[in-house]
Amino acid sequence: MKPVRKSKLSIMKYHPHLKRILDIFLALIGLLLASPILLLLGACLFVANNGKALFLQRRPGKGETIFKIIKFKTMNDKTDTSGALLPSSERITKIGAFARKYSLDEIPQLFNVLNGDMSLIGPRPLRIEYLDLYSREQARRHDVRPGITGWAQVNGRNAISWTEKFNYDIYYIDHLSFGLDIKILLKTIKKVLLKEGINSDQNKTMPAFTGNN
């Protein structure tokens, strides 16, 4: 586990409502700045996906409360002769691959932040079917709102194992502070701009979590 260097910022704890206030403020700023991208990319994906620009999926949030995560739809719905969806690598569109490469498909989650379902920073919301597979310690990831980015995402994302990912999530919860959030935010911006690890391979996805046995 990569340690966080202690500083005045890193040990500065949040006031109970400060994180939420910052989430709303920064999400509004983000949506304002990204509005041209939202409109242009949304229109391109609408055409590429035959009238579907957004992807909504039920995910567990804080306290395991279920909400619908909003993302840009980067894959079409093409099926094989039996009606089953084709593999992800065969369904991703060119504009969808571009959106993933630069993490633009995540922008609509800012609406989830405004709605209170998510935070800018926190453990990523995973599939509902994983809920019964967590250990008691791993289930603690639902003690806070899930995030668009998080400590695990800036420390490997899909390149690390599920065990490492959950360890990073729990570390974040145990060390939650204003300074750690700023550190994650800055590292996320750097990784997106330099394409370091985050969606570097737009066809690569994390294998499904099957439990701890």
Side-chain angles (χ1 to χ4, degrees):
M1 178 72 64
K2 185 181 296 184
V4 179
R5 182 182 299 175
K6 294 294 183 181
S7 68
K8 290 182 179 180
L9 272 181
S10 65
I11 62 175
M12 186 186 299
K13 299 298 182 181
Y14 278 120
H15 182 276
H17 302 297
L18 177 57
K19 185 175 174 68
R20 179 64 186 144
I21 292 172
L22 290 176
D23 276 342
I24 294 173
F25 175 74
L26 293 177
L28 287 172
I29 297 297
L31 284 170
L32 180 62
L33 295 176
S35 56
I37 298 176
L38 280 170
L39 293 174
L40 180 59
L41 184 58
C44 292
L45 290 169
F46 184 85
V47 173
N49 295 312
N50 298 317
K52 296 180 180 178
L54 296 176
F55 170 77
L56 280 70
Q57 189 176 58
R58 296 170 73 241
R59 299 285 179 92
K62 183 179 180 181
E64 299 185 2
T65 300
I66 306 302
F67 71 98
K68 288 186 178 180
I69 194 172
I70 309 170
K71 300 179 70 173
F72 274 129
K73 186 175 176 62
T74 57
M75 294 186 289
N76 58 43
D77 297 318
K78 291 182 179 180
T79 59
D80 58 22
T81 54
S82 66
L85 286 172
L86 292 173
S88 299
S89 59
E90 297 181 33
R91 293 189 294 117
I92 188 167
T93 60
K94 290 184 178 180
I95 185 65
F98 174 82
R100 285 193 179 192
K101 182 177 181 180
Y102 293 97
S103 296
L104 300 177
D105 58 318
E106 310 282 1
I107 294 177
Q109 290 170 55
L110 291 172
F111 290 107
N112 287 124
V113 174
L114 289 180
N115 194 46
D117 300 319
M118 295 178 64
S119 175
L120 289 175
I121 299 169
R124 283 294 297 166
L126 302 176
R127 300 178 186 177
I128 292 177
E129 54 264 35
Y130 293 170
L131 286 175
D132 292 333
L133 302 177
Y134 298 140
S135 67
R136 181 176 298 181
E137 184 73 1
Q138 291 166 349
R140 291 179 56 213
R141 67 192 319 278
H142 295 293
D143 289 350
V144 298
R145 286 187 178 92
I148 297 178
T149 186
W151 191 229
Q153 279 60 54
V154 298
N155 282 289
R157 197 172 184 169
N158 291 344
I160 59 178
S161 69
W162 279 110
T163 298
E164 291 173 305
K165 188 186 295 286
F166 291 137
N167 286 341
Y168 279 121
D169 289 341
I170 300 306
Y171 182 94
Y172 172 77
I173 292 170
D174 288 340
H175 297 81
L176 178 61
S177 68
F178 177 74
L180 183 54
D181 272 8
I182 293 298
K183 185 182 184 74
I184 293 171
L185 184 61
L186 294 177
K187 286 174 72 72
T188 298
I189 293 172
K190 177 185 176 183
K191 285 180 175 289
V192 170
L193 292 177
L194 300 180
K195 294 178 289 183
E196 293 180 352
I198 295 185
N199 288 340
S200 58
D201 180 351
Q202 52 263 50
N203 294 324
K204 181 180 179 181
T205 56
M206 189 76 177
F209 178 59
T210 58
N212 297 286
N213 295 327

